[in-house]
Amino acid sequence: QVQLVESGGGLVQAGGSLRLSCAASGGIFSINSMGWYRQAPRKQRELVASITSDGSPNYADSVKGRFTISRDSDKNTVYLQMNSLQPEDTAVYYCNVVTFRYYWGQGTQVTVSS
């Protein structure tokens, strides 16, 4: 059974940093891409960043220059380094892995205080 285990969320002041991790396990093969989405209260879930199997990243405009996505293919793990965090980055962050289907993590809360 495929599992995505996320870690690294928390509370941080504006301007601070956090690093999210997501490890995929349970017989997951042929990963096409890994990424992070977020959902703030009363808003739709949105893509934050993704990275393909060949390492090509894609970022939402709102996080470009502040967030960096990376992956360790040997460990089936994706990371999101978040710098210069702002209150508008407050949301539940979900890990996403795409093979022939989509897999989602349980979500980790990121709260940025002003």
Side-chain angles (χ1 to χ4, degrees), residues 7-22:
S7 61
L11 173 64
V12 65
Q13 289 187 332
S17 298
L18 286 173
R19 187 185 190 221
L20 305 182
S21 299
C22 172

Side-chain angles (χ1 to χ4, degrees), residues 2 4 24 27-34 71 76 96-103:
V2 173
L4 303 184
I28 191 166
F29 301 103
S30 300
I31 295 177
N32 292 322
S33 67
M34 306 179 79
R71 64 186 285 179
N76 284 339
N96 168 255
V97 172
V98 180
T99 60
F100 63 92
R101 54 163 289 182
Y102 282 70
Y103 296 94

Side-chain angles (χ1 to χ4, degrees), residues 61-113:
D61 288 342
S62 59
V63 306
K64 283 181 180 176
R66 302 188 297 124
F67 292 9
T68 302
I69 190 169
S70 61
R71 64 186 285 179
D72 184 333
S73 296
D74 291 338
K75 297 181 179 179
N76 284 339
T77 299
V78 63
Y79 306 94
L80 186 67
Q81 177 67 42
M82 304 186 293
N83 298 329
S84 301
L85 283 161
Q86 299 301 317
E88 52 265 35
D89 295 316
T90 295
V92 178
Y93 284 69
Y94 295 92
C95 175
N96 168 255
V97 172
V98 180
T99 60
F100 63 92
R101 54 163 289 182
Y102 282 70
Y103 296 94
W104 294 94
Q106 79 283 1
T108 184
Q109 178 70 45
V110 171
T111 302
V112 185
S113 63

